């Protein structure tokens, strides 16, 4: 099993920045693929950003150029730096992890999910 704990969410004004962190722990090693998804009220899960073990990344169209995903493998941690936030970025953000590749923004690729951290942009 892998446990994922997100942190760093909060409230921010439009144009501001936040940095989310996701710490992975467990007894089956560091997941190969990690990603961030988000879900706003009344909307489906949206792939925000994903990262491979060697640092290859992919981003959802709505966040390209504003968000950056990174990972520190020896700390089992993945980050999401979010800049130029807009009210449309308001959502619950979830960290996801998995060991198979079906596309970095394909939620079906991820077995393990965190509880989420709320981001509110006003």
């Amino acid at each position: 099993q892998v446990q994922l704990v997100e942190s760093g969410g909060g409230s921010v004004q439009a144009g501001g920045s936040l940095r989310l962190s996701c710490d992975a722990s467990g007894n089956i090693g560091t997941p190969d693929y990690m990603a961030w998804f988000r879900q706003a009220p009344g909307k489906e899960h949206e792939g925000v950003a994903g990262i491979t073990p060697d640092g290859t990344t992919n981003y959802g169209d709505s966040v390209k150029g504003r968000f950056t995903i990174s990972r520190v493998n020896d700390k089992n941690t993945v980050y999401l730096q979010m800049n130029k936030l807009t009210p449309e970025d308001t959502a619950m953000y979830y960290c996801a992890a998995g060991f198979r590749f079906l596309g970095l923004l394909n939620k079906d690729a991820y077995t393990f999910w965190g509880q989420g951290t709320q981001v509110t942009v006003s």
Side-chain angles (χ1 to χ4, degrees):
Q1 290 293 319
V2 174
Q3 291 79 43
L4 303 174
V5 178
E6 303 101 332
S7 61
S11 297
V12 65
Q13 292 188 337
S17 299
L18 283 174
R19 188 195 198 201
L20 306 183
S21 298
C22 173
D23 293 310
S25 62
N27 56 7
I28 56 174
T30 301
D32 293 325
Y33 305 101
M34 300 189 73
W36 288 93
F37 289 78
R38 67 185 181 186
Q39 187 170 27
K43 295 187 178 180
E44 294 186 356
H45 267 89
E46 176 188 5
V48 176
I51 189 166
T52 68
D54 65 358
T56 300
T57 59
N58 193 20
Y59 295 91
D61 288 341
S62 63
V63 307
K64 284 180 181 177
R66 299 187 299 123
F67 290 12
T68 302
I69 188 171
S70 61
R71 66 189 294 170
V72 180
N73 288 333
D74 59 353
K75 293 184 178 181
N76 297 334
T77 301
V78 64
Y79 301 99
L80 185 68
Q81 178 66 43
M82 306 185 294
N83 298 327
K84 299 179 182 179
L85 287 160
T86 74
E88 288 69 37
D89 295 315
T90 294
M92 185 72 78
Y93 283 70
Y94 297 92
C95 179
F99 292 91
R100 58 178 180 168
F101 183 78
L102 296 175
L104 285 175
L105 301 184
N106 182 350
K107 63 181 179 63
D108 294 333
Y110 298 96
T111 305
F112 307 102
W113 293 80
Q115 294 297 308
T117 184
Q118 178 68 37
V119 171
T120 302
V121 185
S122 60

